[in-house]
Amino acid sequence: MKKIVHFLFLPLLLLAACQSAPSPSHPHHAVTDSLLGELDRAIASRPQYAAQRYARIDSLQALFAEATTLPEIRNIQEELYLAYEGFQLDSALFYAQSLYGLLANSGDSLARARSLMSVSSVKCGMGLFRESKALIDSLPAFHDTADVMRFNQLSYSIYHQLYSNAIDDTERAAYLDSVIVCQQRILDVMPPGTLSYDITRAALLRYRGATWEALSCLQTAMREHPCRLDEEAILARELAIIYASIGQNENAYRFYAYSALADLRGGKRSYTSLPNLAVLLYESGDVERAYRYILCTLDDINFCHSKVGLMQIGTYLPVIISTYSYRAARYQHQQRILMVVIITLSLLLIGMALLVGLFRRRQRRMERLMLERDNQLAEFTERMDRVASELRDANRTKEECIGQVFNLCSVYLDRQDLFSKTVGNMLRSNQSKELLKLVDDKNRTHKDLRELFHSFDVLFLTVYPHFVEDFQGLLRSGETLVIPEGDLLSPELRIYALVRLGINDSVKIAGFLHFTPQTIYNYRQKMRARTNLSKEEFLARIRTL
């Protein structure tokens, strides 16, 4: 019955998409608002969907504990792998590797190859693209149609992720060619006239630039084929991608929302439709809902341990403080260096293990070298843990800043709305004198400025918590910074806080702080006079605090 309802609902979406013209994306169309409301309820119901998945896993683990024969153990491990796939990738990888180890001495080379494809699939989902590709490159040639199709689909997934995350244009173009080749190979072995065939064909057309032909193919597929819940998610996502690419954002909202609904109701924690929908909503001005969807995505990414999601979510978050990009890039660079060092050390350890086998006469010497390398690896691992802790702290700081900025914007919009309503009521009531008094109210403006400066101080000191102490260190002995009671920064410190953020123009600083340019100049002259540094040296030191 559910399949019939879903099958009927999708064509209705398609009909609405075909008949509606592009319209402003916020406020949304009634159909879109209804879908978004349903999506909000599905997000709130994630614990129930997860409980259903856990119930299935618990029943399988109970069967696994009672299994005694090798076929029973093998079948249950396959079921556990499928239950964790798209839900908790580390557990899925554990059962995939366990299944491969179980088949290592079975003599069934085809079953081992299939289990190795499962390991490669999970590693691709975890972001280990190179390892995943190395695994499928080591597989023998398949002859069964289902195995060939799965192999090509896995190859497509790997190349698609490499294509999506490539930085160099030449490398990106090469990966796109590989994606197209894999898609064509899938079509070559896939039976025509099926929903999967039409979805794959539409994706291939989209990669080749035939967007409208791809859209027509998907529209026909929706009318002619019933689909399962997982197929609905894929079909709706493909339609959303195409509608977004041709500027029909309202239709993109609908199909991204429908795809996200199918993902969540299927108990998945690794998905792309919800964050993509959040980006479109953010661009349309629906900031609060976009923020909730991003937080939901982040929560599920952490739960699922999907490195792919972590890499992609960074492109969805708006830049809040420009200087944070520098810090994040620095931490990422350090992490990449540590990863290279660890990989290099691992290769050295493998090489030493081989040398132990080849030169048994030097066993004691090689064992000492192994111990030294182990100590070095432990030191580097400890350093990596420290860096990872710093990254987590930086991520928490970023999330706090995002929340504060969104809250500040929301408060400002609420005040503007209240002020507009008050002015409208006064105009309708011919209260011109009271209106002039309200408009000329300096206390309100002063209060708003103080709240703005306090919010700026909080955000700035969140990113640079030691700014005041470091600034005090630039002054001559005996000079002390005085911060007004109730404030976090003095006016002089706010000027140099803006300089630290890269704003050095006194006119721009004056506009932000509501001072005259001459006042800004006087503040800067007085503060510089309290140091023993030249103008250039003082500014250079400020930018490094």
Side-chain angles (χ1 to χ4, degrees):
M1 183 65 183
K2 289 184 178 179
K3 291 184 178 179
I4 296 175
V5 172
H6 291 316
F7 177 57
L8 293 175
F9 193 63
L10 273 172
L12 290 176
L13 279 178
L14 178 60
L15 182 61
C18 294
Q19 293 179 349
S20 63
S23 59
S25 54
H26 186 62
H28 307 295
H29 189 275
V31 175
T32 307
D33 283 334
S34 176
L35 270 176
L36 292 177
E38 191 173 353
L39 180 58
D40 291 337
R41 291 188 291 274
I43 290 175
S45 301
R46 283 183 304 150
Q48 287 86 340
Y49 301 141
Q52 295 173 5
R53 183 71 72 101
Y54 277 126
R56 171 63 177 161
I57 291 171
D58 291 341
S59 65
L60 289 173
Q61 288 178 341
L63 292 174
F64 182 77
E66 298 175 359
T68 56
T69 65
L70 184 62
E72 287 179 336
I73 295 173
R74 172 180 168 181
N75 292 334
I76 295 174
Q77 282 191 337
E78 288 178 351
E79 291 292 331
L80 283 168
Y81 158 73
L82 293 174
Y84 277 113
E85 188 180 24
F87 185 64
Q88 282 186 321
L89 294 184
D90 52 351
S91 297
L93 180 61
F94 170 78
Y95 284 106
Q97 290 177 333
S98 297
L99 181 60
Y100 179 73
L102 182 67
L103 297 170
N105 299 320
S106 67
D108 190 345
S109 59
L110 181 58
R112 288 200 304 272
R114 289 171 178 169
S115 65
L116 199 59
M117 278 200 291
S118 299
V119 175
S120 176
S121 176
V122 178
K123 288 194 174 185
C124 178
M126 297 179 76
L128 305 174
F129 309 133
R130 305 292 180 183
E131 293 184 25
S132 179
K133 185 177 182 302
L135 287 176
I136 66 168
D137 287 343
S138 66
L139 293 174
F142 292 99
H143 302 287
D144 182 75
T145 300
D147 291 330
V148 173
M149 187 182 304
R150 184 186 179 192
F151 176 83
N152 288 326
Q153 288 172 339
L154 179 55
S155 299
Y156 159 75
S157 298
I158 295 171
Y159 283 117
H160 179 265
Q161 292 295 346
L162 291 170
Y163 162 74
S164 300
N165 294 281
I167 299 175
D168 181 72
D169 291 339
T170 303
E171 186 181 47
R172 186 178 177 84
Y175 286 137
L176 178 58
D177 291 340
S178 298
V179 167
I180 293 174
V181 169
C182 291
Q183 289 286 70
Q184 186 60 58
R185 289 176 178 172
I186 294 172
L187 287 179
D188 290 341
V189 297
M190 185 177 288
T194 63
L195 179 61
S196 297
Y197 183 90
D198 290 339
I199 293 175
T200 304
R201 179 172 173 267
L204 180 59
L205 290 171
R206 176 169 58 84
Y207 285 125
R208 288 175 171 170
T211 304
W212 290 102
E213 188 177 352
L215 178 59
S216 176
C217 179
L218 291 176
Q219 290 171 345
T220 303
M222 288 183 66
R223 289 191 296 266
E224 296 181 354
H225 299 290
C227 52
R228 303 187 308 272
L229 192 63
D230 56 337
E231 291 175 330
E232 291 173 9
I234 299 173
L235 179 57
R237 184 177 68 245
E238 285 294 325
L239 280 165
I241 292 172
I242 292 177
Y243 280 125
S245 68
I246 61 178
Q248 295 188 20
N249 286 343
E250 192 68 27
N251 293 329
Y253 300 146
R254 296 175 187 173
F255 286 101
Y256 267 137
Y258 197 79
S259 176
L261 271 171
D263 286 334
L264 293 173
R265 287 170 177 171
K268 293 183 66 175
R269 292 299 181 96
S270 177
Y271 45 71
T272 59
S273 295
L274 187 63
N276 288 337
L277 175 60
V279 172
L280 291 180
L281 291 174
Y282 177 79
E283 293 173 351
S284 73
D286 197 350
V287 177
E288 292 185 5
R289 179 172 267 138
Y291 181 61
R292 292 199 306 271
Y293 290 175
I294 287 294
L295 289 183
C296 173
T297 304
L298 284 171
D299 183 48
D300 285 345
I301 285 172
N302 291 329
F303 178 86
C304 189
H305 301 138
S306 172
K307 188 176 179 182
V308 174
L310 288 175
M311 291 187 294
Q312 292 175 346
I313 201 67
T315 63
Y316 303 138
L317 297 176
V319 178
I320 296 183
I321 301 175
S322 60
T323 51
Y324 178 77
S325 299
Y326 167 75
R327 296 178 64 190
R330 184 179 62 185
Y331 287 136
Q332 291 173 0
H333 179 67
Q334 292 174 349
Q335 189 177 32
R336 284 195 296 269
I337 291 176
L338 287 174
M339 289 297 293
V340 171
V341 172
I342 291 174
I343 291 172
T344 302
L345 287 174
S346 299
L347 293 175
L348 288 175
L349 289 172
I350 294 173
M352 286 190 293
L354 294 174
L355 288 175
V356 167
L358 294 174
F359 303 99
R360 293 183 178 180
R361 295 177 183 179
R362 302 178 182 179
Q363 185 174 0
R364 293 183 180 179
R365 177 185 175 188
M366 299 306 293
E367 287 178 353
R368 288 195 298 268
L369 290 175
M370 287 286 289
L371 181 60
E372 293 175 3
R373 299 304 184 206
D374 285 341
N375 292 335
Q376 293 176 8
L377 181 59
E379 293 176 3
F380 279 110
T381 302
E382 183 179 354
R383 289 174 55 191
M384 187 180 70
D385 290 340
R386 289 197 297 268
V387 172
S389 177
E390 293 175 0
L391 281 173
R392 287 192 295 271
D393 293 341
N395 284 333
R396 281 195 295 271
T397 300
K398 175 181 68 176
E399 293 172 1
E400 291 173 1
C401 290
I402 291 174
Q404 292 181 33
V405 168
F406 277 141
N407 182 65
L408 182 62
C409 293
S410 178
V411 170
Y412 175 76
L413 290 174
D414 291 342
R415 287 185 178 177
Q416 287 295 101
D417 182 58
L418 179 61
F419 184 77
S420 298
K421 290 179 181 178
T422 303
V423 170
N425 292 334
M426 287 184 174
L427 287 174
R428 285 190 290 271
S429 303
N430 295 323
Q431 298 177 344
S432 56
K433 292 183 180 180
E434 290 78 359
L435 179 59
L436 287 174
K437 184 182 297 183
L438 176 64
V439 173
D440 294 337
D441 187 1
K442 303 299 182 181
N443 291 330
R444 182 175 60 83
T445 303
H446 180 70
K447 180 181 177 182
D448 290 343
L449 284 175
R450 284 191 61 83
E451 291 182 1
L452 173 63
F453 292 155
H454 179 75
S455 298
F456 171 79
D457 296 347
V458 171
L459 284 172
F460 182 81
L461 292 177
T462 299
V463 180
Y464 302 100
H466 305 295
F467 179 79
V468 176
E469 294 83 349
D470 294 341
F471 196 96
Q472 176 67 50
L474 299 179
L475 303 182
R476 291 194 301 267
S477 177
E479 295 285 350
T480 305
L481 293 173
V482 178
I483 299 176
E485 185 177 355
D487 290 343
L488 299 176
L489 296 175
S490 64
E492 297 94 332
L493 287 176
R494 288 194 190 101
I495 292 172
Y496 286 101
L498 292 172
V499 172
R500 178 63 183 87
L501 294 175
I503 305 174
N504 195 39
D505 188 347
S506 295
V507 176
K508 293 182 179 179
I509 296 175
F512 180 79
L513 298 179
H514 289 258
F515 291 147
T516 64
Q518 183 61 41
T519 301
I520 298 298
Y521 175 80
N522 293 339
Y523 272 136
R524 296 178 72 167
Q525 287 292 103
K526 290 179 181 179
M527 185 58 72
R528 190 164 59 248
R530 299 172 67 183
T531 71
N532 293 322
L533 304 173
S534 65
K535 177 181 179 180
E536 291 75 13
E537 186 179 1
F538 183 59
L539 288 177
R541 294 285 296 276
I542 288 295
R543 293 190 181 101
T544 61
L545 293 181

